[in-house]
């Protein structure tokens, strides 16, 4: 939803992995922080990397939970309704026991609330953490899924709620999103004001950009493209954008020294050619923000 | 007992070269292996394997609630129980947002007039195709915003195993998804070997450690390839030290090479385009097979 205030929620996404979402998110956030407060949110909760680049002290850790049913043997009459009710196969009747597969649970509460014996009370299940990392004007919220969890969506939704509760005063909110175009990408970007799709000028990049464009259109979110490693590969991505009226907001040149500095976990704003791309991108985003709020 | 040995290519971080590695191994394996593309929400193997679709089926990845306006009495019970904010009430009617609906069916169970029906949700397609190396490939496309990629991955794998059995293939080469979530977990189920493709960046090393945890959980034997190994020699060294401490066999270093992107541009496999890289992939494939074979004997 567009916010009533002048908050601007920017999602940085891509279909293909490794195109430069983190590179762009961390440097853009760092650029804005030179003159304004900015919130960077790492929603790639399966593999969060922003904290490698944004160095600061962890000021707070918010444990994150999803609600899952817990079987109460004393109350259960083994009627088996819960097993039928669950559409995700998270409950199984094993002989005289109901086993809960917490990984599969979507926290819909149906089994718990429809159980006539109230034998499946909901309890908190720890799925990950949100760390708050402060680096002057930049606040990084890092969502991190526990490695034994499989479903990132509940945690991503939690992080969004947490942002709205505690950090809504930040005008700039940048959401570094997971790759792909499935439910986790939708949960990350679906309520943002604008989606930046980062791609690379290769057939793989183009194929996955098209998928990401489909996702953005499905969610009815405005979007634009940033081409990373520009100058390598071919011109097909540019032609696709031009033919489909998709705005290209920036081109990051292919430069082995960028790759090398990225590999060390460094920000790149002191590199002139890179900084000018980020600065011009920021100006374009400012225009978009102002026109959306106007 | 199943004698098909599955080698799944994973990385944690995206963009390290999983698809280039998987396609090159498949190219070398020829009819010895079936290829499966389990990165279903951003699949790329089809762009270079020249698939000739033999069979296509629709994938229903769960359910989605549908309200019949005629029967609905606008009591709002459905909206009350929905934990996903998928039901909204405006202009006097209740409507369901398909993207937010996770298909739990709670609303349909509490609706007093039976106005809500759970419908199968069409969320992708899956295919069986002949490919350029003379073998076959099992692959899929998850539609944008699709749910249940884990289930689609399981479908792709099930087909791949069946194809391998029918065609007498000893191996299955599986191109996995980035991350550690449901599609990765689903691609690991049954795999003997996890070939981890990483690159010498702090991000990739961080992500490698997390995916390794999942690999261990499934008892697959991890093997390591460092792609773009000369981009940062120091981090490359750090990865090797980590691999050693974890007793992960390091099979190869692949120096940065523009042949990866160039071959992609020609819709070709990097191992068929570049002799030097072909040599590296040959040694990786031989070693991966050897490890996969020994895991069956033990």
């Amino acid at each position: 939803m567009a916010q009533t205030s002048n908050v601007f929620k920017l999602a940085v996404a891509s279909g293909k992995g490794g195109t430069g979402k983190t590179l762009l998110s961390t440097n853009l956030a760092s650029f804005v922080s030179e003159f304004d407060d900015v919130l960077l949110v790492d929603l790639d909760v399966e593999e969060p990397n922003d904290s490698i680049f944004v160095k600061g002290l962890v000021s707070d850790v918010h444990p994150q939970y999803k609600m899952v049913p817990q079987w109460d043997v004393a109350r259960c009459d083994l009627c088996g309704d819960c097993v039928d009710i669950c559409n995700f196969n998270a409950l199984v009747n094993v002989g005289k026991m109901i086993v809960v597969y917490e990984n599969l649970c979507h926290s819909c509460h149906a089994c718990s609330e429809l159980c006539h014996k109230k034998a499946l009370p909901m309890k908190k299940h720890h799925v990950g953490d949100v760390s708050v990392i402060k680096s002057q004007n930049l606040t990084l919220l890092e969502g991190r899924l526990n490695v034994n969890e499989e479903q990132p969506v509940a945690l991503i939704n939690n992080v969004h709620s947490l942002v709205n509760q505690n950090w809504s005063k930040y005008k700039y909110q940048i959401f570094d999103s997971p790759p792909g175009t499935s439910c986790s990408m939708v949960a990350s970007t679906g309520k943002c004001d604008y989606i930046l799709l980062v791609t690379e000028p290769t057939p793989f990049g183009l194929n996955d950009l098209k998928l990401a464009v489909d996702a953005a259109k499905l969610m009815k979110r405005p979007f634009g493209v940033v081409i990373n490693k520009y100058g390598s590969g071919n011109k097909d991505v540019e032609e696709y954008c031009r033919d489909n009226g998709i705005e290209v907001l920036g081109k990051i040149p292919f430069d082995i020294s960028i790759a090398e500095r990225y590999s060390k976990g460094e920000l790149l704003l002191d590199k002139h050619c890179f900084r000018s791309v980020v600065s011009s991108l920021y100006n374009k985003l400012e225009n978009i923000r102002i026109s959306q709020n106007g | 007992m199943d004698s098909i040995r599955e080698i799944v290519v994973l990385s944690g971080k995206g963009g390290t070269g999983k698809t280039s590695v998987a396609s090159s191994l498949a190219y070398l394996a020829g009819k010895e292996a079936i290829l499966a593309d389990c990165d279903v929400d951003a699949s790329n193997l089809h762009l270079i394997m020249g698939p000739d679709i033999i069979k296509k089926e629709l994938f229903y990845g769960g359910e989605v609630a549908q309200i019949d306006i005629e029967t609905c009495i606008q009591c709002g019970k459905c909206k009350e129980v929905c934990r996903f904010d998928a039901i909204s009430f405006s202009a006097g009617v209740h409507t369901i947002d398909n993207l937010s609906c996770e298909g739990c069916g709670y609303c349909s169970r509490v609706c007093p007039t039976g106005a809500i029906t759970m419908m199968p949700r069409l969320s992708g397609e899956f295919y069986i195709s002949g490919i350029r190396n003379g073998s076959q490939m099992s692959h899929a496309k998850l539609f944008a915003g699709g749910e249940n990629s884990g289930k689609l991955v399981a479908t792709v794998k099930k087909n791949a195993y069946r194809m391998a059995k029918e065609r007498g293939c000893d191996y299955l080469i599986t191109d996995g998804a980035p991350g550690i979530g449901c599609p990765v977990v689903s691609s690991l189920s049954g795999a003997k070997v996890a070939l981890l493709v990483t690159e010498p960046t702090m991000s990739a090393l961080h992500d490698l450690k997390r995916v390794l945890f999942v690999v261990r959980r499934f008892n697959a034997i991890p093997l390591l390839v460092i792609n773009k190994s000369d981009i940062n020699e120091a981090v490359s060294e750090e990865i090797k030290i980590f691999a050693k401490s974890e007793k992960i066999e390091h099979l190869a270093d692949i120096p940065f090479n523009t042949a990866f992107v160039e071959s992609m541009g020609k819709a070709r496999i990097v191992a068929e385009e570049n002799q030097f890289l072909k040599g590296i992939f040959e040694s990786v494939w031989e070693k991966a097979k050897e490890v996969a074979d020994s895991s069956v004997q033990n």
Side-chain angles (χ1 to χ4, degrees):
Chain A
M1 297 309 130
Q3 303 294 304
T4 45
S5 63
N6 62 349
V7 171
F8 187 58
K9 287 179 184 278
L10 174 73
V12 180
S14 74
K16 183 173 171 356
T19 57
K21 289 179 294 301
T22 295
L23 172 78
L24 191 66
S25 305
T26 52
N27 282 286
L28 180 62
S30 176
F31 179 81
V32 177
S33 80
E34 290 173 7
F35 46 85
D36 207 345
D37 285 336
V38 58
L39 184 72
L40 173 63
V41 185
D42 197 343
L43 289 180
D44 188 1
V45 300
E46 292 180 41
E47 298 289 18
N49 290 146
D50 289 0
S51 66
I52 294 172
F53 300 87
V54 175
K55 293 159 179 95
L57 289 177
V58 176
S59 66
D60 209 354
V61 177
H62 299 258
Q64 297 298 312
Y65 304 92
K66 71 174 184 183
M67 300 303 286
V68 298
Q70 185 175 34
W71 183 54
D72 183 345
V73 57
R75 288 171 177 259
C76 181
D77 64 0
L78 290 167
C79 72
D81 281 355
C82 56
V83 177
D84 292 337
I85 288 167
C86 181
N87 260 1
F88 309 107
N89 302 315
L91 294 164
V92 178
N93 190 345
V94 187
K96 294 206 150 97
M97 266 176 76
I98 301 293
V99 176
V100 179
Y101 289 98
E102 287 149 348
N103 255 329
L104 300 177
C105 176
H106 283 228
S107 310
C108 73
H109 290 62
C111 61
S112 178
E113 291 170 8
L114 295 174
C115 173
H116 69 121
K117 290 282 186 187
K118 302 206 179 314
L120 285 165
M122 298 298 279
K123 63 158 186 181
K124 281 181 179 178
H125 173 74
H126 186 235
V127 290
D129 294 295
V130 174
S131 299
V132 184
I133 295 160
K134 283 277 205 184
S135 176
Q136 292 164 326
N137 288 342
L138 199 170
T139 300
L140 167 64
L141 301 187
E142 181 204 70
R144 180 173 286 264
L145 189 71
N146 290 345
V147 281
N148 50 358
E149 292 295 323
E150 295 166 21
Q151 296 193 18
V153 172
L155 177 56
I156 291 167
N157 289 338
N158 283 4
V159 181
H160 273 302
S161 307
L162 199 65
V163 169
N164 291 338
Q165 279 161 28
N166 298 349
W167 283 277
S168 57
K169 71 173 168 56
Y170 281 82
K171 186 170 73 180
Y172 275 96
Q173 301 180 359
I174 300 170
F175 296 86
D176 187 7
S177 305
T181 53
S182 66
C183 42
S184 58
M185 184 266 197
V186 169
S188 301
T189 62
K191 289 180 180 161
C192 289
D193 299 300
Y194 194 83
I195 307 177
L196 263 187
L197 298 173
V198 189
T199 188
E200 56 185 40
T202 64
F204 289 5
L206 175 60
N207 180 73
D208 299 351
L209 172 64
K210 289 176 182 169
L211 298 170
V213 165
D214 286 348
K217 286 181 176 166
L218 190 71
M219 298 183 290
K220 303 186 175 74
R221 296 290 91 199
F223 61 92
V225 165
V226 170
I227 306 175
N228 189 12
K229 305 178 197 172
Y230 184 74
S232 68
N234 58 36
K235 297 273 178 196
D236 292 354
V237 166
E238 264 183 297
E239 282 168 18
Y240 163 78
C241 290
R242 196 190 53 217
D243 294 347
N244 290 277
I246 298 168
E247 192 177 0
V248 176
L249 295 167
K251 295 169 185 170
I252 302 170
F254 174 73
D255 180 339
I256 203 83
S257 73
I258 292 178
E260 205 223 327
R261 297 217 19 219
Y262 172 88
S263 75
K264 297 180 196 162
E266 292 176 4
L267 293 172
L268 283 140
L269 292 172
D270 58 357
K271 188 178 169 67
H272 179 73
C273 68
F274 186 84
R275 186 184 178 87
S276 64
V277 174
V278 174
S279 150
S280 130
L281 172 67
Y282 169 77
N283 289 334
K284 289 174 185 164
L285 290 169
E286 259 299 80
N287 289 335
I288 291 166
R289 182 181 72 82
I290 291 162
S291 69
Q292 283 192 357
N293 287 325
Chain B
M1 97 162 209
D2 87 278
S3 60
I4 298 158
R5 281 83 89 194
E6 182 184 356
I7 295 159
V8 55
V9 183
L10 294 173
S11 65
K13 185 179 181 319
T16 60
K18 285 183 295 302
T19 300
S20 295
V21 170
S23 57
S24 290
L25 299 188
Y27 167 71
L28 296 168
K31 291 180 178 174
E32 221 180 351
I34 292 290
L35 182 59
D37 192 345
C38 288
D39 187 3
V40 294
D41 67 304
S43 60
N44 289 141
L45 266 176
H46 63 282
L47 299 171
I48 48 172
M49 298 312 294
D52 192 357
I53 296 174
I54 298 165
K55 198 173 158 197
K56 172 172 131 179
E57 282 185 66
L58 299 175
F59 171 69
Y60 292 90
E63 295 183 328
V64 62
Q66 202 175 65
I67 298 185
D68 176 34
I69 305 176
E70 301 295 312
T71 333
C72 176
I73 53 168
Q74 315 300 344
C75 70
K77 282 206 170 72
C78 53
K79 188 173 185 300
E80 241 166 66
V81 301
C82 179
R83 289 308 198 283
F84 310 106
D85 275 334
I87 303 177
S88 54
F89 181 69
S90 69
V93 286
H94 284 84
T95 48
I96 291 172
D97 169 25
N98 286 356
L99 265 182
S100 300
C101 174
E102 295 197 14
C104 71
Y106 196 178
C107 55
S108 73
R109 290 181 183 274
V110 299
C111 176
T113 60
I116 302 179
T117 315
M118 298 307 292
M119 304 295 287
R121 185 200 295 263
L122 179 64
S123 39
E125 290 173 349
F126 56 98
Y127 322 91
I128 289 170
S129 300
I131 46 179
R132 278 196 291 125
N133 68 354
S135 187
Q136 288 187 345
M137 168 172 161
S138 171
H139 53 129
K141 180 179 178 174
L142 187 73
F143 297 153
E147 294 251 348
N148 234 332
S149 51
K151 188 178 161 194
L152 184 53
V153 167
T155 308
V156 167
K157 283 196 33 157
K158 200 173 130 199
N159 278 344
Y161 270 96
R162 203 193 58 235
M163 289 149 69
K165 205 171 167 188
E166 280 168 10
R167 297 173 65 89
C169 303
D170 288 330
Y171 303 98
L172 182 59
I173 298 168
T174 302
D175 190 11
I180 58 164
C182 29
V184 170
V185 166
S186 192
S187 69
L188 269 165
S189 144
K192 305 288 184 218
V193 169
L195 184 60
L196 303 172
V197 181
T198 193
E199 62 183 28
T201 64
M202 295 309 287
S203 305
L205 175 56
H206 166 272
D207 297 355
L208 175 72
K209 289 176 181 172
R210 283 169 63 83
V211 78
L212 181 64
F213 184 94
V214 187
V215 168
R216 297 263 193 236
R217 189 149 66 90
F218 281 83
N219 288 318
I221 302 168
L223 297 174
L224 184 71
V225 170
I226 306 178
N227 193 12
K228 313 172 201 173
S229 58
D230 49 352
I231 277 182
N232 187 328
E233 303 283 357
V235 180
S236 239
E237 246 353 272
E238 203 179 326
I239 293 171
K240 283 173 204 169
I241 292 166
F242 169 73
K244 204 168 179 185
S245 73
E246 287 284 334
K247 298 190 171 57
I248 302 169
E249 195 169 352
H250 167 229
L251 302 188
D253 278 344
I254 305 174
F256 177 82
N257 196 320
T258 52
F260 280 86
V261 167
E262 285 157 15
S263 59
M264 206 189 278
K266 295 187 236 171
R268 303 273 288 175
I269 298 159
V270 65
E272 68 183 327
E273 284 289 295
N274 183 295
Q275 285 304 313
F276 168 70
L277 293 172
K278 184 182 174 190
I280 297 179
F281 285 120
E282 273 166 348
S283 71
V284 170
W285 175 234
E286 287 310 316
K287 190 69 204 178
K289 276 203 292 190
E290 192 187 309
V291 173
D293 292 347
S294 67
S295 77
V296 180
Q297 282 151 17
N298 291 339

